[in-house]
Amino acid sequence: KNEVEQSPQNLTAQEGEFITINCSYSVGISALHWLQQHPGGGIVSLFMLSSGKKKHGRLIATINIQEKHSSLHITASHPRDSAVYICAVLPTQGGSEKLVFGKGTKLTVNP
Amino acid sequence: EADIYQTPRYLVIGTGKKITLECSQTMGHDKMYWYQQDPGMELHLIHYSYGVNSTEKGDLSSESTVSRIRTEHFPLTLESARPSHTSQYLCASRVTGYNSPLHFGNGTRLTVT
């Protein structure tokens, strides 16, 4: 069982819909990353969180350290948001460089 | 916009060949990483570097080696490519610091025939 679980695995939405992607993890962490991977393979860092909530444009990321859970929300979704969204955690044990990645959530936003 | 470059973008090579995947960043980042990603699967760390002349193996067993002779350059070498090495290889970098984000290159998609 992966230490980082994302849900759903696949998500299809209509343009304009509110999207939520969830990430649960089973270890103590010092930080959590949300990444976006486009079909070409390149990855962009969206957020890094250690507590609370962050907002950037139409994207909002929240984390609940006690519940070991994070969510990524996209408001007013658009076809250009179609990508794989990856959650990654930095465990407090095991070395400071070894991020543990989820398998990703593939989002498709239809016009 | 992140300035981290990987070459080649795609590579098809025969079994037994020696290959080097290039990664360069112009941001002066001290920390650099190589990840391997199979289709539909999670990224796995194969090598990382804290700075010049500092390299460490990651969690995923790998037959590759890396070097860090200059801050900006972190090449990955496979001495003898095998079909099991077919995968996407992603290079990343960041500055030292608790909250510094990762910057990724566009990846090298390697196929070993």
Side-chain angles (χ1 to χ4, degrees):
Chain A
K1 185 179 185 294
N2 199 7
E3 291 174 316
V4 179
E5 296 285 345
Q6 289 185 235
S7 63
Q9 269 188 292
N10 293 282
L11 180 56
T12 301
Q14 288 300 122
E15 184 172 356
E17 285 185 3
F18 181 83
I19 304 292
T20 295
I21 298 171
N22 296 298
C23 175
S24 296
Y25 51 91
S26 57
V27 296
I29 67 168
S30 54
L32 181 144
H33 297 250
W34 280 105
L35 309 168
Q36 181 191 55
Q37 186 171 29
H38 280 282
I43 295 177
V44 174
S45 177
L46 298 175
F47 294 104
M48 189 159 67
L49 294 162
S50 54
S51 65
K53 175 179 172 178
K54 286 190 176 179
K55 184 176 190 290
H56 182 71
R58 295 179 295 106
L59 301 178
I60 302 165
T62 64
I63 188 168
N64 185 319
I65 295 293
Q66 287 73 32
E67 294 186 4
K68 293 187 168 60
H69 182 268
S70 176
S71 293
L72 177 68
H73 305 285
I74 305 174
T75 61
S77 59
H78 190 276
R80 66 175 174 266
D81 297 326
S82 297
V84 176
Y85 292 84
I86 300 170
C87 172
V89 301
L90 193 59
T92 49
Q93 289 187 336
S96 63
E97 302 307 322
K98 296 183 180 180
L99 280 171
V100 180
F101 293 81
K103 291 184 178 180
T105 293
K106 184 176 181 181
L107 172 65
T108 303
V109 182
N110 294 318
Chain B
E1 193 71 29
D3 294 317
I4 179 165
Y5 307 101
Q6 289 186 243
T7 57
R9 186 78 178 86
Y10 301 94
L11 180 61
V12 180
I13 202 162
T15 297
K17 299 290 187 185
K18 178 180 178 178
I19 58 170
T20 296
L21 308 184
E22 300 289 348
C23 176
S24 294
Q25 50 94 7
T26 59
M27 298 170 283
H29 290 174
D30 47 353
K31 295 190 174 179
M32 296 189 74
Y33 311 83
W34 275 104
Y35 293 96
Q36 185 175 344
Q37 184 185 32
D38 293 326
M41 301 299 288
E42 61 268 41
L43 282 77
H44 290 283
L45 180 67
I46 48 175
H47 294 283
Y48 61 100
S49 169
Y50 288 117
V52 171
N53 294 326
S54 156
T55 62
E56 300 284 345
K57 285 188 180 289
D59 285 332
L60 185 66
S61 174
S62 173
E63 293 158 341
S64 58
T65 59
V66 291
S67 63
R68 189 89 183 274
I69 298 170
R70 303 196 320 264
T71 297
E72 60 271 23
H73 195 214
F74 191 41
L76 176 82
T77 298
L78 279 167
E79 290 293 332
S80 179
R82 295 213 291 250
S84 60
H85 295 137
T86 295
S87 189
Q88 172 158 255
Y89 293 83
L90 288 151
C91 181
S93 72
R94 69 184 186 100
V95 295
T96 296
Y98 182 74
N99 281 322
S100 63
L102 278 168
H103 297 268
F104 283 87
N106 284 328
T108 294
R109 197 169 295 276
L110 173 66
T111 302
V112 183
T113 60

